[in-house]
Amino acid sequence: MRKILRRLTQTAAVLFGVSVVTFLTMHLAPGHPLQANPELRLDPTAVERWLKLRHLDEPLPAQYVAWLSRVLRGDFGESLLYNRPVLELIGERLPSTLLLTLTSFVIALLLAVAAGTYAARHRGSTFDRAVDLLSLGGISLPGFWLGIILILLFSYRYPVFPAVGMRTPGDGSLPDILQHMFLPLCVMVFGGFAHYVRHVRGAVLAVLGQDYVRAARSRGLTDRQILFLHVLPNAALPIVTIAALSLPMLFTGAMVAEQVFGWPGLGRFIVTSLLARDYPVIMTVNMYTGTLVAAANLLADLLYLLIDPRLRAEI
Amino acid sequence: MLEVRNLRVGFRQGRTTFWAVRGISFQAAAGEVTGLVGESGSGKSLSALAIAGLLPAGATAAGEMVFAGERYPFTEQRLWQKLRGRRIGMVFQDPQSSLNPLIPVGKQVAEPLRLHRNLSLREAEEEAKKLFARLGINPAAARMRQYPHQLSGGMQQRVLLAAAIACRPPLLLADEPTTALDVTVQAQILKLLRDYVDREKAALVLISHDLGVIAQLADRVLVMCAGTLVETGSVTDIMSKPLHPYTQMLLASLPRLDKPLNIPALPEEEGRDLGGCAFAGRCPRLVPGCLKKDPPLITAGPGRAVKCLLPF
Amino acid sequence: MRRLLFFLIACMLLVSGCQKQHEENLKLRSQPELHFHVAALTGPLTLNPVLVRDSASAEVAALLHTTLLVTDPQTLTPLPRLITSWEYDREKLTYLFTLHPEAVWSDGTPITAEDVAFTMRVLSHPDYTGLLYLPLRYVLGAEEYKAGHTSELADGDIAGIRVIDEKTLSVTLKEPYAPFLSLLTFAPLPASHLSAVKVRDLEGHEFSLERPVTSGPYLLAEWNRDEYVHVRANPAYFLGKPALDNLYYRFIPNAETQLIELLAGKLDLVPTAVKVEDVAALRANPELKVYTNPRLVYDYIAINSKKADSPVGDKRVRSALAMLLDRKEVVDNILLGFADPLYGPLLPLHFAYDPALEKDNVDLAEARRLLVEAGCPQAELRLIFNAGNLVRENVALLFKEQAAKVGLDIRVSLLEWEAFLAAINEGDFDLAILGRGVEADPDLSYHWHSDGPGNTYGYSNEQVDALLEEAAALESAEERTRLYREAQRLIVEDVPAIFLYVRQAVHAATAELSGFIPHPENLFYNVHEWGLAGEGDK
């Protein structure tokens, strides 16, 4: 418990540091939000006015303090680009983001656990080699490229699935959304699977060589019982680490899928905001990701405790 | 009870197979402890694993065993599925690593009970608790809920033994059961093994590199060298009148328990490919005949055999 | 494993089955309605026509709002729209504007002269942060209003703006300014809804973000923030209800995907983002039609003559630099012909354009001679351009190659956008490849008058200043043309920049689309006249 408390204070300190660094780099880098397009004929007085109305003309320390005190009161400000509360902007994109990322994460992880375990138990088999090849492909093939290929194949050549967006304009029923989800999901599952399956296979292989697995066999347990009672729980430790580390990414969207398939997610929003110097959004996103990373680490630690009694003893 | 006939265990290396156990045959009687002794690498552990049906992937076995009147060819390892745990139990060398660190020990002991005797979880745990008490794992109820890392080495070995004998198998294999333990604990574990043999009239095959352990517990002794049995006999015969030079060397090195055996090491492949005696490369009594072919196993008295051209 | 696979397949079939049925339902229900899908790279940021800063917002604003005037897509001269007619009193410098009698807001109330007057006050208000103040600078009293108005509301009066009656407005200029009309291409705001809103609050107001009251050919049906804007034909539009009942402005961030969707029949129009390399293939497709039009943006090599000790401060060096590139070759080889070579500061669309300037005087020997004469036969120059623009990259390399032939060493550096902007702003370059948007009117003052707000590199020629001032005050197009041609000649002679080309916008649409007239400034210029030839099966 004390450990968790210490962890929370550490996290707060880190977040504070991150916020200062982000704030400084963001404001010291060349350019400001209204400068993004030099072909616009900006009236210099309008720019001044615009900056003044948003207190962007004040000295940086004052701006930072103002930002911090607002954040501590739970106010993350308004986007400079969209003129709407930042939390609202993130909030309205979160469900579509999570729908895609969480689904693909769960499917990829389940497939990886199944295939990785099978491959480990049949090491050197054709299946094992196929999984290895597939995962190599998934790691080295750019998702962008795969996405375009899938669109060409399944939206154009054989028009089975829609290529773009999350819903048919005016529709948005569940089947409609599922259909739109299919291709981006394929790309993401493939990428995730390729990544996870190597870890799963390695972890299961390591456990399969353990003495307690042989001991369990000596007691007459079947392969299936050994797998579920002894191998998988022990292999879960490294898998949980990998999974927990990918958690923050689930909440920040999938850039490639969103770009290629026009999926309305957070990734595109974040990149747009970065390019547009949307300071309040960038700051909030940084805090948000920072919190997520800390939360994911904490979650991983808690899961360890849940899984491994040896660690419980240390508390 | 158990008869092993011409057991061979090998590993495929490219196109050739390297035989680590090169055809051993012996019997283990019910109510008796059969000690299998030899230096490390002599193939005794592999022999035990083959008998328990636990050969690692990649190992091939040949020969057969007759167990409780039925034949089990070693090439058909799947036949062992119904033997393991139920009819054959096994205790391993390193109790720490042979217990699943994530599961309370009580559960691990109850596992085979539920599985083989169709007991409910409660019944199985009740049964396991009795076993714990009998093997001196006290207080049983509290110990049941503990995890392996919370137990001492001796307790861990008792747990492992409890799991192995939970279904009262008529054949128990113990592979270096006391090597990882200190001397006082060793004696307790050996006594528990003996108790089990006496109580259940079970056959125990005790594998050890340590003649001291063998002397304490075994009724009959098999001496193994480089994949073959070089001498067999009752424990008193072997201890008092060893015939094979290898046995004699093992005995000679006995007092220095903590040191490696004082036997010149030999690159493993060498002696075997010659087709002569397995010990020929290191034998002080070497005669030309030793290198020509494997010496025959000759009877040297009642229940006594030795594989040497010059046994004395 | 097999069971699981089977289950998945069954699920997918079920889903696609449902979908089919759903589509059929949709089709049945919407049989008489026309649906039209337009691609966009991004979504709009605001629905407020006077706060637009990006092209997507401008395009959506063009669907929802209607501008006072429009420019002719061929000649760029002002044409009536919401303002149906105007009279100009030369003596009083006053325009009398008449609004369309049937023009109404989406709430049913008429669009009035007061709405227009209010909008002009908003544009002149000190808290207004949009881009449209420019035309108001010439209105009598607007500058005073901007400097001295103290209320946070756009109330009060601008001296030169007077509401005559519900549909008539008079606007008095402070000085004669011919381009004034061509700048009235903004849309009015509904005064009755916004007059009580502080100008500073307009950007975040629900009118700008959620519930606009509009005057255009289409009404907002749904704005799905990251996916599409769905608009429905406005039955009360004063130029007649558009034929395309539903228009979907869909955000597809990837140009490749846009094309695939067009080919798959799920998009009807891909504007502007079409790549010239794809045009041949698209033209060969009988189901599609490719449109092109010149844009009001040109690329040029900016010369930083302000930079101390740079050889480009010498006019002879600049002249030599201008003799290196064959623009026709650039257009044909690098842009595959989808551009017009540019020789001066005006575009061929401008009525005052001077065709006499159209000649490439590539003369390496003369360039060499000029360089030697200027005393820098072996100068080293830094040429910058932004990453990600392949055309500019190729131009830069070609330029470097040509310059090497006359002994100049061009150091090409490709910069990321922000770094590029910073280098431009700090003047850390000799040459830079840039783009520049121009106005519909040929008035060159913005960039080329000594006091022009867009005169970034300090170009100053008293003769040019005088010509531009004189031309802006004249009404006659012929006379203005004469003066602007003279000014163009002088500017080209001074070589303040090397003009390169005007790229064409390339649009691909379904062959069924009728009535689409590509406009250099406004994609939806005549969207109310668009139709679909094969009506009914969309």
Side-chain angles (χ1 to χ4, degrees):
Chain A
M1 204 59 218
R2 188 140 28 93
K3 209 172 165 190
I4 293 177
L5 257 175
R6 203 174 62 208
R7 199 57 174 281
L8 287 179
T9 10
Q10 274 173 1
T11 305
V14 167
L15 282 182
F16 176 75
V18 167
S19 79
V20 173
V21 172
T22 316
F23 191 84
L24 282 179
T25 49
M26 206 170 62
H27 282 271
L28 294 180
H32 67 74
L34 273 197
Q35 212 179 30
N37 189 347
E39 282 166 16
L40 292 178
R41 296 183 162 190
L42 281 179
D43 172 6
T45 60
V47 176
E48 271 168 41
R49 199 73 199 160
W50 190 88
L51 292 173
K52 193 174 170 56
L53 285 174
R54 288 159 181 77
H55 306 287
L56 290 172
D57 55 340
E58 289 167 15
L60 284 189
Q63 284 191 48
Y64 180 77
V65 170
W67 175 83
L68 191 64
S69 70
R70 269 186 291 120
V71 164
L72 290 178
R73 275 179 278 126
D75 174 11
F76 286 85
E78 278 192 1
S79 155
L80 302 177
L81 203 59
Y82 301 87
N83 292 296
R84 293 175 53 216
V86 176
L87 288 187
E88 207 177 292
L89 289 167
I90 293 179
E92 73 192 17
R93 283 163 180 83
L94 199 53
S96 56
T97 306
L98 286 181
L99 177 65
L100 187 61
T101 55
L102 268 185
T103 318
S104 73
F105 171 74
V106 169
I107 297 180
L109 198 62
L110 285 180
L111 282 180
V113 167
T117 309
Y118 192 87
R121 288 176 65 197
H122 300 85
R123 194 181 179 178
S125 65
T126 319
F127 182 86
D128 187 22
R129 280 198 296 269
V131 164
D132 190 51
L133 209 67
L134 204 66
S135 113
L136 197 69
I139 287 168
S140 40
L141 272 187
F144 183 83
W145 187 83
L146 182 68
I148 293 285
I149 295 289
L150 284 182
I151 290 179
L152 277 174
L153 264 178
F154 296 111
S155 299
Y156 176 55
R157 192 81 185 77
Y158 307 101
V160 197
F161 293 104
V164 184
M166 184 171 155
R167 66 199 101 203
T168 312
D171 189 343
S173 59
L174 185 66
D176 184 45
I177 290 179
L178 287 180
Q179 270 213 324
H180 279 83
M181 219 169 109
F182 189 78
L183 293 185
L185 202 62
C186 282
V187 172
M188 292 183 63
V189 165
F190 187 51
F193 171 81
H195 178 64
Y196 301 137
V197 77
R198 311 204 135 218
H199 291 281
V200 173
R201 182 179 175 274
V204 171
L205 263 185
V207 174
L208 278 177
Q210 294 293 319
D211 285 348
Y212 53 78
V213 170
R214 192 179 59 186
R217 250 167 83 78
S218 84
R219 278 173 239 139
L221 272 69
T222 61
D223 284 355
R224 177 183 287 257
Q225 286 162 331
I226 291 172
L227 184 65
F228 287 104
L229 291 172
H230 295 276
V231 176
L232 286 183
N234 277 287
L237 279 171
I239 298 173
V240 160
T241 312
I242 300 297
L245 288 183
S246 11
L247 269 181
M249 289 189 287
L250 303 186
F251 285 82
T252 52
M255 228 3 255
V256 172
E258 288 174 24
Q259 188 67 27
V260 178
F261 298 99
W263 187 266
L266 267 175
R268 236 162 83 203
F269 170 72
I270 291 172
V271 171
T272 311
S273 307
L274 269 173
L275 293 179
R277 300 304 165 91
D278 197 338
Y279 300 138
V281 175
I282 302 172
M283 287 302 282
T284 310
V285 164
N286 250 287
M287 293 301 97
Y288 168 74
T289 4
T291 315
L292 282 173
V293 170
N297 276 312
L298 201 67
L299 180 72
D301 285 356
L302 290 177
L303 283 174
Y304 287 168
L305 291 184
L306 205 69
I307 295 173
D308 196 336
R310 284 168 296 187
L311 298 171
R312 259 174 271 167
E314 285 168 21
I315 302 190
Chain B
M1 163 88 330
L2 170 75
E3 185 184 353
V4 174
R5 292 179 185 160
N6 197 25
L7 166 62
R8 303 202 299 159
V9 182
F11 295 92
R12 196 150 292 174
Q13 285 180 338
R15 261 171 298 163
T16 59
T17 301
F18 161 69
W19 294 103
V21 178
R22 302 193 292 164
I24 64 170
S25 306
F26 65 90
Q27 295 181 354
E32 241 185 40
V33 177
T34 308
L36 186 56
V37 71
E39 63 192 314
S40 51
S42 59
K44 54 189 193 309
S45 281
L46 271 178
S47 306
L49 289 176
I51 294 164
L54 294 174
L55 281 175
T60 51
E64 61 174 17
M65 73 178 198
V66 180
F67 177 58
E70 281 187 60
R71 288 181 54 222
Y72 298 89
F74 285 111
T75 45
E76 314 256 335
Q77 287 275 309
R78 61 184 169 78
L79 293 177
W80 268 257
Q81 182 63 48
K82 59 179 187 191
L83 295 180
R84 281 193 300 261
R86 213 173 307 208
R87 314 286 309 278
I88 304 178
M90 184 151 181
V91 182
F92 296 90
Q93 172 168 3
D94 185 354
Q96 166 97 49
S97 68
S98 294
L99 287 166
N100 186 337
L102 307 187
I103 303 180
V105 290
K107 267 218 171 96
Q108 299 193 47
V109 174
E111 236 170 38
L113 286 166
R114 295 183 60 195
L115 188 67
H116 301 308
R117 287 172 45 190
N118 285 326
L119 298 183
S120 71
L121 184 64
R122 271 186 60 121
E123 292 167 335
E125 289 194 337
E126 203 50 46
E127 196 72 11
K129 207 190 287 176
K130 279 186 210 152
L131 262 172
F132 269 46
R134 202 167 77 218
L135 295 182
I137 314 172
N138 291 317
R143 291 291 192 203
M144 290 274 291
R145 286 192 301 276
Q146 284 185 319
Y147 289 92
H149 71 273
Q150 295 168 307
L151 302 178
S152 68
M155 281 302 161
Q156 287 172 346
Q157 192 59 293
R158 285 172 204 239
V159 169
L160 211 54
L161 177 60
I165 63 173
C167 297
R168 295 164 44 199
L171 174 61
L172 188 62
L173 300 163
D175 184 7
E176 307 268 11
T178 58
T179 311
L181 308 175
D182 61 55
V183 187
T184 47
V185 183
Q186 243 183 39
Q188 295 166 3
I189 297 293
L190 292 180
K191 181 170 181 311
L192 289 172
L193 285 170
R194 182 86 243 174
D195 286 351
Y196 180 72
V197 171
D198 294 345
R199 227 172 106 115
E200 300 290 336
K201 294 285 168 273
L204 170 65
V205 177
L206 174 71
I207 289 109
S208 182
H209 67 275
D210 183 351
L211 270 170
V213 171
I214 298 289
Q216 273 184 61
L217 196 63
D219 301 305
R220 279 172 44 76
V221 178
L222 315 169
V223 182
M224 199 160 174
C225 173
T228 53
L229 289 179
V230 292
E231 185 170 5
T232 60
S234 72
V235 68
T236 30
D237 286 346
I238 295 282
M239 299 305 283
S240 55
K241 277 192 298 191
L243 294 176
H244 198 279
Y246 177 71
T247 319
Q248 289 164 359
M249 278 191 157
L250 286 177
L251 273 170
S253 64
L254 190 55
R256 281 161 297 179
L257 274 172
D258 53 342
K259 293 218 175 131
L261 291 185
N262 188 20
I263 296 175
L266 180 82
E268 284 186 19
E269 300 279 347
E270 211 175 304
R272 307 180 185 214
D273 291 347
L274 293 171
C277 173
F279 192 57
R282 296 178 284 175
C283 186
R285 276 184 263 160
L286 186 70
V287 293
C290 296
L291 294 171
K292 288 205 181 96
K293 68 181 190 50
D294 203 22
L297 196 66
I298 51 172
T299 311
R304 187 103 212 261
V306 64
K307 198 175 192 172
C308 185
L309 292 177
L310 301 166
F312 54 85
Chain C
M1 198 65 189
R2 208 168 300 137
R3 248 178 304 157
L4 184 72
L5 203 67
F6 180 77
F7 176 71
L8 279 178
I9 291 173
C11 281
M12 267 161 48
L13 288 177
L14 198 69
V15 163
S16 53
C18 288
Q19 176 64 15
K20 278 232 175 63
Q21 204 181 0
H22 193 86
E23 266 167 11
E24 270 154 27
N25 286 345
L26 212 67
K27 224 180 198 171
L28 271 180
R29 207 172 55 222
S30 59
Q31 199 72 31
E33 292 220 330
L34 292 180
H35 297 267
F36 195 79
H37 298 258
V38 182
L41 286 170
T42 58
L45 300 172
T46 180
L47 302 176
N48 189 321
V50 304
L51 293 172
V52 160
R53 291 194 190 87
D54 61 292
S55 61
S57 302
E59 288 178 356
V60 171
L63 288 170
L64 297 179
H65 298 274
T66 201
T67 54
L68 299 177
L69 297 173
V70 290
T71 52
D72 185 295
Q74 305 302 324
T75 64
L76 299 180
T77 50
L79 294 177
R81 182 58 59 101
L82 189 59
I83 292 174
T84 50
S85 62
W86 60 87
E87 285 165 35
Y88 182 52
D89 182 334
R90 191 169 311 152
E91 297 304 308
K92 295 178 181 155
L93 298 176
T94 298
Y95 285 95
L96 198 64
F97 295 119
T98 308
L99 301 183
H100 197 287
E102 284 160 36
V104 289
W105 292 108
S106 52
D107 66 0
T109 59
I111 301 176
T112 64
E114 172 52 27
D115 290 324
V116 179
F118 167 73
T119 308
M120 289 180 163
R121 287 199 299 274
V122 169
L123 304 189
S124 311
H125 195 277
D127 284 347
Y128 171 66
T129 51
L131 309 175
L132 295 174
Y133 173 62
L134 213 59
L136 272 299
R137 286 199 307 183
Y138 304 99
V139 173
L140 185 69
E143 259 173 349
E144 289 76 8
Y145 187 87
K146 192 173 180 63
H149 190 69
T150 48
S151 159
E152 288 180 313
L153 303 176
D155 48 8
D157 278 308
I158 294 176
I161 299 172
R162 215 152 50 83
V163 174
I164 308 293
D165 60 40
E166 191 183 48
K167 293 284 185 182
T168 319
L169 182 79
S170 88
V171 175
T172 306
L173 304 188
K174 64 175 184 186
E175 59 193 56
Y177 186 62
F180 184 65
L181 286 180
S182 75
L183 297 175
L184 295 183
T185 49
F186 58 85
L189 303 171
S192 60
H193 290 266
L194 296 177
S195 57
V197 177
K198 290 178 190 169
V199 174
R200 62 191 297 172
D201 293 338
L202 266 184
E203 298 222 33
H205 193 265
E206 64 168 20
F207 171 84
S208 308
L209 300 176
E210 285 160 66
R211 271 184 287 281
V213 177
T214 60
S215 55
Y218 282 91
L219 301 172
L220 181 68
E222 186 193 6
W223 179 12
N224 203 316
R225 299 285 174 185
D226 276 338
E227 291 184 79
Y228 56 87
V229 174
H230 172 203
V231 293
R232 292 185 59 80
N234 180 1
Y237 186 53
F238 60 91
L239 294 178
K241 186 190 174 199
L244 304 173
D245 306 280
N246 292 281
L247 193 146
Y248 303 91
Y249 185 79
R250 294 176 58 194
F251 326 143
I252 302 171
N254 183 316
E256 282 79 13
T257 322
Q258 288 191 357
L259 265 195
I260 293 170
E261 286 280 274
L262 178 74
L263 292 170
K266 288 173 183 159
L267 279 174
D268 300 299
L269 171 62
V270 172
T272 319
V274 176
K275 290 185 179 144
V276 292
E277 303 91 278
D278 297 328
V279 170
L282 293 173
R283 283 210 167 122
N285 188 330
E287 288 176 9
L288 299 178
K289 190 170 172 197
V290 174
Y291 299 80
T292 62
N293 67 276
R295 307 203 302 184
L296 287 189
V297 180
Y298 64 82
D299 274 10
Y300 66 107
I301 302 180
I303 301 178
N304 189 8
S305 15
K306 274 202 285 191
K307 186 178 170 188
D309 66 82
S310 170
V312 295
D314 190 317
K315 184 174 155 185
R316 288 166 298 190
V317 175
R318 297 201 301 271
S319 302
L321 290 173
M323 290 176 187
L324 300 177
L325 280 183
D326 183 336
R327 293 167 176 81
K328 284 217 179 68
E329 195 183 296
V330 169
V331 165
D332 289 344
N333 295 342
I334 300 179
L335 287 148
L336 306 181
F338 289 95
D340 297 305
L342 188 69
Y343 302 92
L346 284 184
L347 313 187
L349 278 179
H350 286 123
F351 66 80
Y353 177 72
D354 189 357
L357 293 171
E358 284 181 12
K359 60 175 196 304
D360 269 313
N361 52 341
V362 179
D363 189 340
L364 299 183
E366 175 65 6
R368 179 78 197 138
R369 197 189 62 75
L370 283 169
L371 286 175
V372 173
E373 195 185 301
C376 52
Q378 276 173 343
E380 184 186 305
L381 298 174
R382 175 170 149 89
L383 169 65
I384 63 170
F385 63 99
N386 59 308
N389 190 323
L390 211 61
V391 172
R392 289 181 188 172
E393 188 171 335
N394 284 326
V395 170
L397 295 177
L398 186 65
F399 188 75
K400 178 188 169 76
E401 199 179 295
Q402 290 291 93
K405 292 182 187 162
V406 297
L408 286 174
D409 184 9
I410 306 284
R411 295 288 163 92
V412 171
S413 60
L414 179 150
L415 299 173
E416 285 304 323
W417 186 240
E418 293 297 336
F420 178 69
L421 283 184
I424 295 285
N425 289 332
E426 286 157 22
D428 180 22
F429 67 99
D430 299 300
L431 306 168
I433 307 185
L434 283 167
R436 173 181 274 171
V438 293
E439 294 292 333
D441 190 89
D443 180 21
L444 288 162
S445 314
Y446 188 86
H447 290 120
W448 304 107
H449 190 283
S450 306
D451 301 329
N455 187 351
T456 332
Y457 312 110
Y459 175 71
S460 178
N461 182 328
E462 283 175 21
Q463 256 182 299
V464 171
D465 288 354
L467 282 167
L468 296 183
E469 282 163 28
E470 194 188 339
L474 291 174
E475 274 171 83
S476 148
E478 287 78 38
E479 283 184 57
R480 291 184 73 203
T481 303
R482 192 176 53 78
L483 297 180
Y484 284 134
R485 287 195 173 163
E486 181 62 16
Q488 288 173 70
R489 201 182 50 74
L490 288 169
I491 293 172
V492 169
E493 229 175 66
D494 287 338
V495 205
I498 302 168
F499 303 100
L500 294 172
Y501 47 81
V502 192
R503 293 183 70 166
Q504 289 178 357
V506 183
H507 320 277
T510 163
E512 293 171 7
L513 174 62
S514 62
F516 172 51
I517 300 174
H519 186 285
E521 284 185 304
N522 184 348
L523 175 67
F524 297 116
Y525 152 74
N526 68 337
V527 66
H528 58 284
E529 291 165 353
W530 295 5
L532 283 173
E535 295 187 5
D537 55 25
K538 266 281 150 182

